[in-house]
Amino acid sequence: MPRLLVCTDSYPPQLNGVSVVTAAMVTGLSARGWECAVLAPAYPPALTAPLSQPVTLRHVALPSRSLPAYPDVRLVWPPLRHARQIVRDFRPDVVHCATEFTVGWAGLRAARAYDVPVVTTHHTDFSRYCDAYGVPFLRPVVQRWLGRFHRRAHHTIAPSAAVERTRRAMHVGHTTVWGGGVDTTHFSPRHFSLLSRHRYAMGADFNFLHVGRLAPEKNVEFVLDAFAHLRNRFRDRRLRLIIAGAGPSERRLRERAGDDVMFLGAVDRERDLPALYASADGFVTASETETLGLVVLEAMASGLPVVACHAAGVGEHLDHARNGLAFAPGDMSGCVSAMSRLVADASLHERLRAGARAAAESMSTDRALDQLDALLRTVVGAAAVSYESSPSPLVMTPAR
């Protein structure tokens, strides 16, 4: 049975795209014959983020502290000692570093010390966050940091072709595009519920939904402004915007929103989110930094027409006028026009619902996990051949 050690700075119960994909990876690979161990931050008992934690045979939870401006984010002091210990004791065949922060870096260094092959994933292009946080001058520094991290791996996973091109520009070789897919059973039109429409006071309105972290890089202010313009166009229609998610920008966004905007906070991903997606009428996002856009895939799987910015990873699975409506980055009139078309054109709305579901079915999680299983086994096999050709047998002592 091959062994996989996952080193990540974000894991359940924390809720975000990285933790969701990483947890699905652990669960899916365990079902495919892998013995998995996880090195991740410890989360306080008070954190009740609605994301179940996959069961692993070995899960090392590292002492952590919250980021002052963003309590859900946990910071771990560079845990090289813990990483070396679990590599030495668990004896993984491959180490997967899902993040580039302290836990990911420790996993990378420990794996290299013991000559274990390393696979990294470039989930988030943090260099693109620099503009959103008002420090654009740091973008080249962050890019160099990311490039250095991934160049030290045996193989890098890119969530989209756009990310792969960026990695290659940084001279990161051995890259494979793998986005993790979407669970088309958990997220499905069959979860439509009149009870959910009543619960969220949707009524007979046309309800747009936004799901995601409420942080500057997600560009939620743009969505609020677009919805305000939309309301001015349709004064005779009842329209609402529902925002699911939490984050450091939540208070400021609530102050900016009108009476027709409902904030739900964090929504239970297992129990409530599927019905929320399937029971809404349209999905809207204006993020320009998504390497994959998992929430867009989940909306599509739920049969929800999508209005989204045609940028980064989202642009690769958003097919304009077939499974959603796209607008250019920063194009407010384009976003409002797309939202207006969904409200006014019932036949277009139904065509996009069908197209969205069909697109999601071609990107199922099961298919993606089969691909990942094959990739990791190839990496392990290549490393074994390399070790066999070495004049010295492999032993679990740190490499010099």
Side-chain angles (χ1 to χ4, degrees):
M1 175 182 290
R3 293 184 174 186
L4 170 69
L5 170 62
V6 176
C7 299
T8 177
D9 293 86
S10 182
Y11 202 63
Q14 186 178 16
L15 178 60
N16 57 46
V18 176
S19 63
V20 168
V21 172
T22 304
M25 173 189 297
V26 170
T27 300
L29 291 175
S30 296
R32 287 162 174 76
W34 289 79
E35 185 177 346
C36 297
V38 175
L39 187 67
Y43 294 92
L47 181 63
T48 57
L51 180 59
S52 62
Q53 180 172 320
V55 176
T56 58
L57 295 178
R58 186 188 295 258
H59 180 192
V60 178
L62 300 165
S64 65
R65 298 179 66 88
S66 63
L67 184 67
Y70 201 160
D72 285 350
V73 175
R74 307 299 296 183
L75 300 178
V76 178
W77 185 256
L80 184 57
R81 177 175 60 85
H82 296 86
R84 282 178 176 259
Q85 181 176 343
I86 193 171
V87 170
R88 185 171 57 248
D89 295 345
F90 184 60
R91 300 175 64 88
D93 296 290
V94 60
V95 172
H96 175 245
C97 300
T99 55
E100 301 95 344
F101 290 115
T102 56
V103 180
W105 267 105
L108 177 64
R109 291 183 62 189
R112 288 175 62 88
Y114 288 102
D115 288 324
V116 179
V118 179
V119 174
T120 59
T121 298
H122 183 67
H123 281 292
T124 307
D125 188 351
F126 290 104
S127 67
R128 301 197 66 186
Y129 284 18
C130 293
D131 293 338
Y133 284 88
V135 287
F137 57 89
L138 289 180
R139 188 168 184 173
V141 177
V142 176
Q143 287 177 332
R144 287 195 295 271
W145 161 53
L146 292 171
R148 181 181 174 220
F149 179 85
H150 293 290
R151 281 194 296 271
R152 300 184 71 189
H154 293 73
H155 206 96
T156 295
I157 296 171
S160 62
V163 175
E164 183 185 36
R165 289 191 294 270
T166 301
R167 295 306 95 202
R168 293 193 181 281
M170 294 182 180
H171 307 291
V172 177
H174 305 291
T175 304
T176 295
V177 176
W178 183 82
V182 60
D183 188 336
T184 54
T185 300
H186 190 62
F187 298 102
S188 167
R190 67 185 177 85
H191 295 302
F192 172 85
S193 166
L194 290 175
L195 181 62
S196 291
R197 287 189 69 90
H198 176 74
R199 176 183 179 184
Y200 299 113
M202 294 183 185
D205 304 357
F206 192 103
N207 295 268
F208 281 98
L209 174 67
H210 178 279
V211 177
R213 187 169 65 253
L214 304 185
E217 71 274 10
K218 297 300 181 180
N219 207 15
V220 187
E221 292 90 346
F222 186 99
V223 173
L224 290 177
D225 292 346
F227 182 72
H229 287 300
L230 184 74
R231 291 291 294 112
N232 289 332
R233 286 194 182 187
F234 292 90
R235 296 181 182 275
D236 59 336
R237 291 285 301 270
R238 297 177 61 188
L239 307 176
R240 295 175 74 249
L241 172 63
I242 300 173
I243 296 180
S249 299
E250 182 171 354
R251 180 176 179 179
R252 177 165 47 83
L253 293 170
R254 285 178 177 270
E255 293 172 350
R256 183 171 182 155
D259 294 338
D260 295 323
V261 179
M262 174 186 286
F263 288 83
L264 302 181
V267 174
D268 190 298
R269 180 178 177 79
E270 305 300 321
R271 186 182 66 244
D272 299 325
L273 189 57
L276 177 60
Y277 273 124
S279 303
D281 301 297
F283 185 87
V284 58
T285 178
S287 175
E288 301 176 17
T289 62
E290 303 302 311
T291 57
L292 173 65
L294 182 61
V295 293
V296 172
L297 295 182
E298 291 170 352
M300 288 182 173
S302 304
L304 197 57
V306 170
V307 174
C309 179
H310 196 278
V314 172
E316 295 180 18
H317 44 257
L318 179 62
D319 190 354
H320 182 70
R322 291 183 179 272
N323 57 29
L325 297 174
F327 60 92
D331 183 3
M332 178 64 68
S333 63
C335 178
V336 176
S337 177
M339 296 173 74
S340 299
R341 291 181 65 187
L342 279 188
V343 172
D345 191 337
S347 61
L348 172 66
H349 183 268
E350 289 305 310
R351 291 199 307 272
L352 294 180
R353 286 180 66 93
R357 177 62 186 180
E361 287 175 343
S362 69
M363 296 178 281
S364 70
T365 299
D366 283 343
R367 182 180 303 178
L369 287 168
D370 287 342
Q371 295 169 347
L372 179 63
D373 177 32
L375 170 62
L376 293 178
R377 290 178 187 272
T378 297
V379 171
V380 172
V385 170
S386 175
Y387 294 148
E388 289 172 0
S389 64
S390 174
S392 302
L394 173 67
V395 291
M396 271 298 177
T397 56
R400 298 291 182 184

